[in-house]
Amino acid sequence: MNYISTRGQSAPVSAAQAIKQGIAPDGGLYMPESIPALTADTLKELCSLSYSERAAKIMSLFLTDYTYEELLSDCKEAYGDNFDGYAAPVVNVGGKARILELWHGPTCAFKDMALQIMPRLLSRALTKTGEERTALILVATSGDTGKAALEGYRDIDKIKISVYYPVNGVSRAQKLQMTTQEGANVNVCAINGNFDDAQNGVKKIFGDTDFAAELDKKGYFLSSANSINWGRLVPQTVYYISAWCDLYNKGDIAFGEKIDICVPTGNFGNILAAYIAKLMGLPVGRFICASNSNNVLTDFFKTGTYDRNRDFHVTISPSMDILISSNLERLLFLTAGAEKTRNYMVSLAKGGKYTLDAEDYGKITSEFVGYFTSEDECRDEIKSVFDEHSYLIDTHTAVAVSAADRYTAENSDASGKIVVASTASPYKFASSVAGALGLEICDDDAKVFETLSNHTGTKIPAQLSDVLTKEIRFKTVIDPADMKASVIDFIS
Ligand SMILES: *Cc1c(COP(=O)(O)O)cnc(C)c1O
């Protein structure tokens, strides 16, 4: 199966090539030229398999230049001992929501689900494409991708990684996780600006052909670990299918029964991965796109206009503080095709906005609905879910649970069971979560962890308490304009 650009002006490439390159030469994102079908028989078979086997099977439908054996061996390593137990359990906490816990990996956020496997896919892609240069991964992060990528790529042969985060746009735990990262092939740098500044900086470097030539002379080429890379999305499609299987196995849903899916959304990668599962044939009703006060997507689904010209808010769910949701381009492509997608993107680049035509708007809103949650509502949701169900959720998950609640209230005839993606451990945003519960908070994370644990009877993840005592290795703060220089510095 070949991969084509959402903007239609690049040559088709293999899966290995798409994973290696990250972004297409015409500035578009790679998509499989067709979406493989998940037949009822295959779905039934998947239900009887382990998580790693499900992952290998589903990924092999997309990554046809990888063998099933290669994928299975990689998945067993990726989703084995580095997860604390089952990789993606679904928990029924009462009510209609089924919580899909995606944070049992090494960095306590759902990014691990993709970034534990993707370095293995890239490593194989280098061999498959006969690459002799070293891959240089540049990552812009709103906090969670950075750490998950550093952990996934550390000390992997023929790969180096440099991560850029907004200096005041990540939680204390997130910052510490990144600045204490170990590994000989890693670099971490704070940016004076917000996430979009960091992401734009990285995108600019990717589009700079002179710079690419300079890197090539030094024996490097650029690659990406952000969710613009197809290698990030395909492992994410897996857990929605796996969640459906687990609900079926538990007798919670009948074979063929539709679920709705609600996802706390930033770059639109995670929810797009869910939509791809539906296009494959997974029984899904609606997709509920949950946003925080950076509600550009809520407005998009309500009005058909995507308009990034608005104030940027720093919130207690920082991984969703994004005004340019890159993966929305893939939804446009799936809905409207390459030519119209290109036009929408030209208009976004020029004036910061575009408006869907009636046909595209109708198609998209038959699948997606958007809600946003204010900071106060988010805190209230954390408290009420804990008070009513003794279940602790983080700020991002709370935004989604709140959206799912409202969707249920407004659609009494809706199919019913909603799988809500829970994207981070509550300890990753411990101060905000403890504050929402009315607990005492302070600047000492160890204390906040303990308060939270004592009050809620939940366990402090060792991955997070460990970083509190580690040496800080990376202290540099730069302007977005100096990112290129920092890259050269890193590889020199
Ligand atoms: C990255 C992230 C999100 C947003 O996911 P997208 O794929 O960018 O939409 C939500 N919650 C958490 C905790 C995250 O780390």
Side-chain angles (χ1 to χ4, degrees):
M1 160 132 43
N2 276 331
Y3 284 74
I4 53 179
S5 165
T6 48
R7 300 190 191 176
Q9 297 186 317
S10 299
V13 297
S14 67
Q17 191 68 38
I19 288 170
K20 198 173 117 181
Q21 261 172 256
I23 199 161
D26 64 0
L29 309 183
Y30 281 119
M31 283 294 287
E33 58 192 351
S34 64
I35 304 287
L38 190 63
T39 61
D41 282 348
T42 312
L43 188 56
K44 206 155 228 165
E45 184 196 344
L46 288 173
C47 289
S48 66
L49 302 180
S50 70
Y51 190 84
S52 297
E53 289 166 336
R54 285 174 188 167
K57 203 128 224 155
I58 295 162
M59 283 170 36
S60 71
L61 299 173
F62 289 96
L63 311 180
T64 49
D65 44 343
Y66 292 67
T67 67
Y68 175 72
E69 287 68 31
E70 286 173 337
L71 292 170
L72 184 62
S73 143
D74 289 349
C75 288
K76 281 186 172 160
E77 280 174 29
Y79 302 115
D81 293 344
N82 32 1
F83 278 74
D84 61 19
Y86 188 63
V90 193
V91 181
N92 191 344
V93 295
K96 288 191 164 184
R98 307 289 186 269
I99 309 285
L100 173 56
E101 293 182 349
L102 299 170
W103 39 262
H104 291 282
T107 76
C108 298
F110 89 92
K111 305 292 197 293
D112 289 327
M113 299 301 299
L115 285 165
Q116 282 298 303
I117 182 81
M118 195 163 113
R120 301 166 212 272
L121 300 177
L122 176 61
S123 228
R124 289 196 192 276
L126 297 182
T127 312
K128 284 179 193 295
T129 58
E131 182 59 62
E132 298 193 335
R133 296 168 298 173
T134 296
L136 175 58
I137 313 258
L138 296 188
V139 180
T141 183
S142 53
D144 292 330
T145 298
K147 176 61 184 179
L150 288 162
E151 202 50 48
Y153 284 102
R154 74 188 257 193
D155 293 327
I156 290 199
D157 223 25
K158 305 276 289 174
I159 299 178
K160 284 192 178 184
I161 174 165
S162 191
V163 169
Y164 301 89
Y165 69 92
V167 65
N168 294 319
V170 302
S171 82
R172 222 162 36 218
Q174 287 177 314
K175 187 180 270 191
L176 268 182
Q177 276 189 307
M178 291 188 280
T179 54
T180 59
Q181 178 65 43
E182 291 164 4
N185 62 338
V186 304
N187 181 46
V188 176
C189 208
I191 296 286
N192 284 315
N194 61 34
F195 170 72
D196 289 318
D197 297 321
Q199 177 159 268
N200 281 334
V202 165
K203 276 189 184 165
K204 242 188 228 153
I205 294 179
F206 271 97
D208 186 333
T209 46
D210 292 343
F211 192 61
E214 190 180 341
L215 288 177
D216 185 64
K217 268 195 219 137
K218 296 178 187 286
Y220 287 89
F221 74 96
L222 291 174
S223 187
S224 125
N226 281 91
S227 58
I228 54 173
N229 192 313
W230 178 252
R232 271 282 294 278
L233 289 189
V234 66
Q236 294 181 194
T237 295
V238 170
Y239 48 72
Y240 292 106
I241 299 173
S242 176
W244 190 95
C245 291
D246 289 339
L247 289 176
Y248 170 70
N249 286 347
K250 277 194 239 182
D252 197 8
I253 55 174
F255 197 79
E257 185 174 335
K258 282 185 182 170
I259 52 170
D260 293 320
I261 294 180
C262 177
V263 184
T265 302
N267 227 344
F268 208 74
N270 203 6
I271 195 167
L272 186 93
Y275 181 57
I276 287 175
K278 177 173 183 178
L279 294 179
M280 292 175 76
L282 191 73
V284 181
R286 280 315 254 319
F287 296 90
I288 302 151
C289 175
S291 302
N292 63 24
S293 335
N294 294 295
N295 55 358
V296 58
L297 287 166
T298 318
D299 289 346
F300 173 66
F301 291 119
K302 198 159 37 176
T303 66
T305 295
Y306 192 93
D307 187 354
R308 59 158 298 203
N309 303 301
R310 60 179 70 215
D311 289 338
F312 179 89
H313 302 282
V314 174
T315 72
I316 55 173
S317 46
S319 302
M320 300 159 71
D321 290 347
I322 291 176
L323 293 181
I324 307 175
S325 299
S326 303
N327 272 296
L328 194 60
E329 180 168 346
R330 287 188 160 110
L331 177 63
L332 297 177
F333 172 79
L334 288 164
T335 306
E339 195 179 325
K340 279 163 97 181
T341 300
R342 194 165 65 239
N343 292 337
Y344 289 138
M345 289 301 113
V346 166
S347 151
L348 181 67
K350 267 196 201 139
K353 61 178 180 176
Y354 60 87
T355 300
L356 296 178
D357 68 24
E359 187 192 353
D360 297 339
Y361 181 62
K363 277 191 204 164
I364 284 180
T365 48
S366 69
E367 302 280 2
F368 289 83
V369 56
Y371 291 91
F372 81 95
T373 301
S374 72
E375 298 290 271
D376 281 342
E377 288 166 333
C378 175
R379 284 186 275 261
D380 289 349
E381 193 70 47
I382 292 171
K383 177 139 175 54
S384 70
V385 169
F386 185 74
D387 288 348
E388 285 166 34
H389 307 295
S390 301
Y391 182 75
L392 192 62
I393 53 177
D394 92 296
T395 47
H396 303 75
T397 308
V399 165
V401 174
S402 165
D405 284 351
R406 266 173 295 161
Y407 177 73
T408 305
E410 287 172 19
N411 297 271
S412 50
D413 57 339
S415 62
K417 286 149 197 166
I418 304 179
V419 168
V420 178
S422 175
T423 48
S425 156
Y427 284 89
K428 204 149 186 189
F429 304 93
S431 292
S432 301
V433 171
L437 295 179
L439 304 175
E440 199 177 326
I441 51 175
C442 60
D443 281 348
D444 181 349
D445 281 313
K447 264 200 194 130
V448 179
F449 284 176
E450 229 173 271
T451 309
L452 196 56
S453 176
N454 289 340
H455 181 79
T456 61
T458 53
K459 218 172 127 245
I460 304 169
Q463 305 96 298
L464 291 178
S465 48
D466 284 355
V467 297
L468 298 177
T469 52
K470 275 195 187 156
E471 179 205 354
I472 296 188
R473 292 183 63 200
F474 302 100
K475 296 178 183 162
T476 317
V477 185
I478 61 169
D479 289 328
D482 298 327
M483 285 169 71
K484 255 201 271 184
S486 106
V487 170
I488 294 295
D489 231 28
F490 171 48
I491 60 170
S492 302

